[in-house]
Amino acid sequence: MSVAYKALPFEGEKGSWTVFMSLCKGCGLCMEKCPKGCLSWSSHLGAYGTPTIEPNMDDCTACGICKAVCPDCAIAVVKKK
Amino acid sequence: MSVAYKALPFEGEKGSWTVFMSLCKGCGLCMEKCPKGCLSWSSHLGAYGTPTIEPNMDDCTACGICKAVCPDCAIAVVKKK
Amino acid sequence: MSKTVKIALAGEGGQGVQSVAEIIAEAANEEGREALYIPNFGVEQRGGVSVAYLQIGDEPIGSPKFQTADIVVALSDRAVRRTKKYVGEETTFVYDTSIEGIEDDLPKNAARILAMPAIEVSKNELNPRVFNIIIMGAVIKATNVVSEDDAKAALEKKLGYKFEQNPSLRELNYNALSRGMELV
Amino acid sequence: MSKTVKIALAGEGGQGVQSVAEIIAEAANEEGREALYIPNFGVEQRGGVSVAYLQIGDEPIGSPKFQTADIVVALSDRAVRRTKKYVGEETTFVYDTSIEGIEDDLPKNAARILAMPAIEVSKNELNPRVFNIIIMGAVIKATNVVSEDDAKAALEKKLGYKFEQNPSLRELNYNALSRGMELV
Amino acid sequence: MSTVPQMPKCWKVESKPHKFCPGCGHGLVLKALGEAIDELGIQEKAVFGADIGCSLLAWDFFDIDTVQTHHGRTTPVVTGVKRANPDTICIAYMGDGGGYAIGSQHLVNAAARNERITVILANNCNYAMTGGQMAPTTLPGMKTETSPYGRDVNEAGYPTQGPEMVAAITREGAYVARGTVSNLKQLKGYFKKALQNQMDGNGFSFVEALSTCPTNWRTNAKDTWAFLEKEMTQYFKVGEIKNPAAKEGESGE
Amino acid sequence: MSTVPQMPKCWKVESKPHKFCPGCGHGLVLKALGEAIDELGIQEKAVFGADIGCSLLAWDFFDIDTVQTHHGRTTPVVTGVKRANPDTICIAYMGDGGGYAIGSQHLVNAAARNERITVILANNCNYAMTGGQMAPTTLPGMKTETSPYGRDVNEAGYPTQGPEMVAAITREGAYVARGTVSNLKQLKGYFKKALQNQMDGNGFSFVEALSTCPTNWRTNAKDTWAFLEKEMTQYFKVGEIKNPAAKEGESGE
Amino acid sequence: MTEKPIQEEKRAFLTGNEVVAWAALAAKADIMYGYPITPQNEIMHYWTRMAPKFGKRFLQTEDELSAGFTTLGGVLAGRKAFTATAGPGNTLMQEPMSMAEMMRIPSVVVVQQRGGPSTATVIYSQQEVTMTTFGGNGEGFRIVYSPSNHQELFDYTIKAFNTAWKYRFPTFVLGDGYQAKLRESLTLYDPEARGIELIEPEPFLGTEPVNGTKSYTNMRNTYNTEDELYDIIVRYGEEYKNIAPEVIEFQEFDCEDADVVIVSHGVVSRAAKGAVQELRSQGLKAGYFRPVTLRPFPADQLRAIADKTKTLLLVESSYGQMSKLVKEAIFGSTVALEYLLKPGVGVTSEELVAKVKQMI
Amino acid sequence: MTEKPIQEEKRAFLTGNEVVAWAALAAKADIMYGYPITPQNEIMHYWTRMAPKFGKRFLQTEDELSAGFTTLGGVLAGRKAFTATAGPGNTLMQEPMSMAEMMRIPSVVVVQQRGGPSTATVIYSQQEVTMTTFGGNGEGFRIVYSPSNHQELFDYTIKAFNTAWKYRFPTFVLGDGYQAKLRESLTLYDPEARGIELIEPEPFLGTEPVNGTKSYTNMRNTYNTEDELYDIIVRYGEEYKNIAPEVIEFQEFDCEDADVVIVSHGVVSRAAKGAVQELRSQGLKAGYFRPVTLRPFPADQLRAIADKTKTLLLVESSYGQMSKLVKEAIFGSTVALEYLLKPGVGVTSEELVAKVKQMI
Ligand SMILES: Cc1ncc(C[n+]2csc(CCOP(=O)(O)OP(=O)(O)O)c2C)c(N)n1
Ligand SMILES: Cc1ncc(C[n+]2csc(CCOP(=O)(O)OP(=O)(O)O)c2C)c(N)n1
Ligand code: SF4
Ligand code: SF4
Ligand code: SF4
Ligand code: SF4
Ligand code: SF4
Ligand code: SF4
Ligand SMILES: [Mg+2]
Ligand SMILES: [Mg+2]
């Protein structure tokens, strides 16, 4: 079954990083777990009208931790090979 | 509160032994536990119209085990001093 | 169409009144008659008076219990007290001669009161274990609800497996049945 | 005796419509008027549309919910869809200008439909946190259920402990209230 | 010379002979309990709750304030009493069905909350009052009315280890033991410690008593003792499992 | 480049975003569970039972046959399914209230009977769906709506040790573990072993997952993680408690 | 497949609990879930003895809540599952049955009523009528048969499975301790040999993929808004009303010219039948009416009789539980009502005859 | 002793759950036992906040069975104990309440009805009327108040304690989710300052010796013979009948000349009141009747009105649960009945006005 989500993609040296705004509830769990501290609040609003997040792609290592800890599967991370 | 029970007393060398017939249900638990094997069925009927027990006072040591294991407190044993 | 016969049997837990009622009921059913048997039961597994209500007739039976029995058999002092309420003007009331202290409790209104030495007979002549079969004999004689032969057949059905192991038991039971029939 | 005013406020979990309703109700009660406020609630702790039903009048209020409101305020797309059923021919329907994709869902039968830039005003002029106080201002202006002063007193009662710590907050809230009143 | 029965003082004489079957372990458990109560001198302050199960037959067993409750619900009733009047010494008496099946949520939660009550459970490996069905404690292979071909552990599991379970969810304050009517002195000792633990305000106390049910086991006296002493003890280990008083090196019996 | 969300295959896309609050641990538990189910390839044979509690919000969470049941009753419903159709792979999903309070008789008896089902319990130290009351698992001193001055262990006891209790009444065939949403890989591993244990017919499997409830804890993201990782683990030890597969010297994580 | 438990027909002399076990086998029930309680126990005893022989299953649960909920699980898995209970167990059973009502899970519960309230007696009563017909939190969308003899106990237990699976309302066979424990004769039969079609259950959960694709089922009993719930209840209510004429069963005789019609149900109607026959034989104009389904209640049928007779004598072994159903059913009628209420004890023909004579 | 929670009188603006907590304090309740369920939770929340300040106690139990049975324990110990529940919790509560009925243990249960059956909604309904009035296995010997606003919620919660302890029938305050959650004003008062005497509870168990001798109490709920039980039930039935006139409460107005009388209870009667006033203001002859006690039901009072009016319009947020009570109560009346049944949703004055106009 395919459902379209509004995606906000970011590209960085180490990989690509995407937040699906209609999935992100702005809980901030990812932000706390990012080893690089490179996530911050975005001005885009998410599922509950709350702010979503965005990465600083300069620092992002595409490690995928943020993706792993997101309870809503709102982040996709693809590491460059 | 005092309630009268029909008692059947026996006297022996080591002590006195009494069965209260209206309490004894003839379960036989005492019989099995008497270390002297000196209890047997009596022709007197007990609480449920079932036979009560009686001791062979020649063998009875008045140890009180039968009394201890009776679930109905139907036996009294008094050791001679 | 004969009237439905109502029987109440009452005794202490170990006296076997339920088996008697059940065997008679089975016998009547085998004869193709309508029979209804219901035990009383309470919270206690043993202890307490055991009452069996039995009805036999030719039409489907109505309510499982009844107010007035045709015959009441009471086998202990407590049983006498418990069952005298089932006695009416046409009731035969049977009790065992060995029961003590019930003189004042015997029903006043029975058609017939019968003291029966079943306990004694079973002890002295037969075997205490067939006490209830004596009672059974007395009941079928007094009520005619089943024939002696059918009663024997029902006994065979219920206890056959025991009779196999010990054929003398069969005779003991048959004798008890006959003795019971004589006592009425 | 004036008619009881019926107000429905609806928004997303975090938008604070319940506080608005509660503060207005408290203010009315303090004025000695009859007020009844009931939140809707469902199984989800958050998520789902939050609706506040508020009635203010001079007589004891009847049933806690109603079929037709005098004013409906809807603050999100889902809130618009959920509350349009409370709109009748005399209803003022208020929604936030920032809500997208609801053109077809706006009630057709309202007496008056009012798009209000509350989210924008709160963001740009004041502070997103007082968004709901702007709404409150709009509601009391549109309905006259309580006076501005009483509304302020109720705000003071509810948020006084915060104002103590940070007096600029008081002004922020009062400004939001006034701005809200202007928007109607 | 004694010609009156030597019953515990707190037994109610008028209700004797009691209503249990011949050879029933409930009588023995309540004899040990009666003696424990006598020795602690707590008859007047005790409140006894009897579960449905053959334990209900004890509703007028003692000269002790007693309430017979519902099947499995004695723990909460007695908890309610204790919470409302902490001066009482509260005893909940139940069978293995009442305690480990229908009332197990109450048992484990009262234990976890460390209620200051004493629960005494007579384990007779079956649902006796209802005529001998399988209980959580029925032994593997044992025939009952609902395990007519013997308890199949693959289908029905192994016998519930009640005291072990209770021990696992209690902390220091709790007293937990398993006794047997085959050793009444020890059992009485456990009861005394359990009650003392309540009286000291330490916490929850629980004693399972291995008990007999000749009626449903269909055993004579000899086999009754044998089943209790040889079969049951293979699955149920007698002894103290938790004893706050034994902290300083003192060990249980 | 991926522009579709990387959800477990067995998640039902149409019901996302799911109904849990922002930062709710239920989402993480069900993410780990979804991945475990995907990896075992059992989506079609699985039957998922959701308790009342925030778990009910998962009634349409998965593309898996699902029944939302009553508060505390998911264990018996799922047991009923499994007994009637042993080919299904049955999962009972519940909260700490549903599992350790109102449904604890079902939990301990299903465990004792060694039902071939998998129970997954999200422990968030409170009754979340009803607005944050004290649960059996509430931490000492923790404030909730019904312990407004903090849980007083003298009144309400210590937090229930669920897996430890379950372990105490199960025998060899059972799998018992406690994981945490703070370590999803480990948690997923436990789920896989638990499900495998059911599929192998060994017996009951139980995994408690330490979970978050920012709404009722009233925590921001930082404090949410801190409470989970620092406070909760003081009382709840993460790890495998019973693992039939680990018999031969192999030890749990 | 193992062979059929009952081949064709056979006369038998059994207790009611045995009858229920045989009927469940005859109805092709697959699995029983249960918790012991007197006077229902022997249903489990006979079932556990017979089950393995016919490839059937049994689970003894930890309480009646579990017995009810596992039964629902069994049904969801696509099996004919059932349970049996009584008294306080029936009280607990109302929780699972409220879920069955909401989710329309077909379920069969045999109740053998005992004395109430509370533990009361383990013997007999008709005091579980209100609870069984209306249940827990909800509107009592359920079907309740009240049999009066062993033949009916057999017939209606078989029928209950078809009713439950056809209409998907929880279905109860409301027996009692007397019926449970008494022995009388009846004819056991294989329903299919009599041309009764037995509905095959279908799985709700654990379904097989169709053409390689599985479509998943997500079932719930909780709703977010009041309106969602309202729509469902009203729909169920309509459905229930529509099927009622098909489901309703009753018995009557001698009502045409009756001055008094005795209304009773279950085992009590055996006494009523005898009494009416006796009264008629004495030339007294008595009639007999008996709801076989207590819910839905044969309202129109009884109303027609109430319109013709002078007095209804309501007789039951409870303090007026059937009477409430009667009054609700025929509201508007001005027939006189008399009562013989015997909570917890049986009623005999003799006392009914006496009562009617005293009335006339 | 700590000081009184409420000194004299004070106006307050509260939610219904707060009101209940205050009322229990005012009635000198000693201890609450409870298990969370929406929409009743805040009773516990407020109680736990206030309890320590006034030397009161609270126990959160593991489920509603335990909440009910611990409550009975608290009462037996001589304390004013109470509990509160809703929906599926109320279903479970019927087990302990059946024990209370049998043993005549005074007990107070506050019910905040939510949608049913099953978990349904956490919001609102009047679908627990049958269950609350008649309960589990038994005859429903209990007293049920149905308040309609916060003042009454306060008044009747206080009264419930006196009723329960005076008559020793379990007493219920049957609120609902709307009443639980809405905020409105009321006057809190100290009942004693108003001259209302509060009955002092006495211990059943754990009694003190008198003159050095203790007389022991042995309580049971199980009986050996049917006749023992019969005697008890009939005695309770008589007692219940005798106290009913004293207990019954109702409200009516504008019934004298009414063509239509709206009958409703609880929160719905607020809408009914408004509707009748509106209809009268439009010159339409509508009347208002409201049972305040649903059990015992004000039967004679309603019958007197039914004898005078043409139609009773029965209005409730359930599928006919109050209607059943009405029909039972006034059986024999030929008044026409009309219905507005809204299971699980509220009723407004507007729709009632519309309904009546369409009828006339
Ligand atoms: C709610 C409920 N369910 C079932 C019963 C029936 N019942 C009465 S006693 C009993 C079993 C008792 O077994 P146990 O607790 O082991 O006590 P025992 O009789 O063996 O001493 C049962 C199932 C009941 N009274 N109430
Ligand atoms: C019989 C019954 N009692 C109470 C409730 C109310 N209730 C719903 S969810 C819940 C608590 C859930 O807590 P938990 O199981 O820990 O799950 P969580 O919401 O924390 O995930 C309660 C008490 C109910 N639905 N049914
Ligand atoms: S964890 Fe997920 S939902 Fe939470 S803020 Fe990050 S992306 Fe959004
Ligand atoms: S991928 Fe790693 S580094 Fe990049 S934002 Fe996520 S957690 Fe931070
Ligand atoms: S143990 Fe007691 S009751 Fe049993 S036979 Fe011996 S004396 Fe009698
Ligand atoms: S006192 Fe000892 S020796 Fe004597 S009969 Fe009893 S057990 Fe045997
Ligand atoms: S049935 Fe068993 S447990 Fe019950 S009284 Fe008899 S022997 Fe004791
Ligand atoms: S209330 Fe807590 S547990 Fe429930 S969904 Fe919200 S965060 Fe999760
Ligand atoms: Mg037992
Ligand atoms: Mg929780």
Side-chain angles (χ1 to χ4, degrees), chain D residues 65-84:
Chain D
K65 295 191 180 171
F66 41 76
Q67 290 190 308
T68 312
D70 295 298
I71 179 166
V72 173
V73 181
L75 302 173
S76 75
D77 50 356
R78 298 194 296 176
V80 169
R81 280 176 222 116
R82 175 82 178 272
T83 53
K84 62 179 177 180

Side-chain angles (χ1 to χ4, degrees), chain C residues 43-46, chain E residues 19-27 53-55 57 124 126-132 211-217:
Chain C
V43 280
E44 298 154 29
Q45 283 294 306
R46 291 189 56 182
Chain E
K19 302 175 189 77
F20 299 110
C21 301
C24 175
H26 277 291
C54 288
S55 10
L57 302 176
N124 55 18
N126 82 110
Y127 284 44
M129 168 142 289
T130 40
S211 183
T212 59
C213 178
T215 299
N216 288 303
W217 294 355

Side-chain angles (χ1 to χ4, degrees), chain A residues 24-28 30 53 70-71 74-75:
Chain A
C24 173
K25 295 174 184 159
C27 68
C30 52
I53 41 124
C70 174
I75 301 174

